[in-house]
Amino acid sequence: MRPMAIMIENHNQARPQSGLYAADVVYEIPVEGGITRFMGLYTKMPGLIGPVRSCREYFVDRALEVDALYVHCGGSPMGYAYIAKTKIRSIDEIKNSPPFFRDKIRKAPHNLYGNGEALYRYMSKRTDMRVKTQPVPLSYGVRNELGTESGNYLKINYHGNYTLVIKEEKGVYHRYMNNILHLDRETKKPLEASAVVLQVASMRVVDSVGRQEISFIGSGTAWILENGKRTAVTWHKATPRAKTTYLDANGKEYLFANKGQVWIQVVSPSTKIFFEPVKEPEQKAKAPAKTEVKTATKTKAKTATKKQSKEEKKNS
């Protein structure tokens, strides 16, 4: 099967998501408004998947690595332009609605879902969904040695409203988004990864909405957490269709130990990251605020929430 690269939302109203557990690789990359977005890369047909959201051009660069079918709903102007430029096989729900449906339990725009089999059948009538050999997104094999640093904890301060903690627990890595364990919506089971890649890439804001420009062409710093160890590597990607490779300090390509799910966490050079738990500074207890202050704070919080919601709707 031609791999599918499916855009998945990570707004707090989209959690928990469906079907991320079935992906070979899950990319988490910042978009605008202080939020991130996922792209699940599937080499086998997933079941229920969603909520499906819009295109950003830098995700396309990762989908091109395995010549995937890029699945999305809408997109930024730059995203649409890049799809046309690269000629990646894609399916946009706005133009091709039959394989998608809206979940009546959730509110739009956080309620668009798809099904792997339905997507495959629909697209098989429009493009070649069979490939001669199965593309492999990462390099696998047996490594003689791993890094010597501890690799059982990672904290990423993506935004003031969003912190991600990844912990190795019972031989797998679990995700905690704002201290809440990341579960699959249907199975109620936690997402599990065999390895985590922390990739640093240059980013800059390019418009008034806050959309990002992220460069995946070139090279940069990265770390790989696997089997409780952390290995410092350098990532390399020559062209949009070239596979991203990870080289260790000796210039050897990093080989992932098994074909379990891998998370690739992309951050900017200014993002705060921690490889060990940081003890929060102790604070003295404060006297309760007056009733008038509480009311004002609550009103202010509601206003901030409405503003954030409006920003997210723009990010379709």
Side-chain angles (χ1 to χ4, degrees), residues 62 197 199 224 234-235 244-247 252-254 264:
R62 308 312 288 264
V197 178
Q199 180 179 359
I224 298 177
T234 304
W235 63 266
T244 301
T245 57
Y246 305 93
L247 305 182
K252 295 182 179 179
E253 184 173 8
Y254 187 96
I264 298 180

Side-chain angles (χ1 to χ4, degrees), residues 30 153-160 162-166 198-200 203 223 265-276 278 280:
Y153 180 92
L154 171 63
K155 179 180 179 180
I156 304 173
N157 290 346
Y158 270 116
H159 188 262
Y162 176 45
T163 297
L164 172 69
V165 171
I166 295 175
L198 177 64
Q199 180 179 359
V200 182
M203 305 181 189
W223 292 268
Q265 307 292 148
V266 178
V267 299
S268 75
S270 62
T271 302
K272 291 184 179 180
I273 58 175
F274 306 88
F275 290 117
E276 59 183 31
V278 178
E280 297 294 335

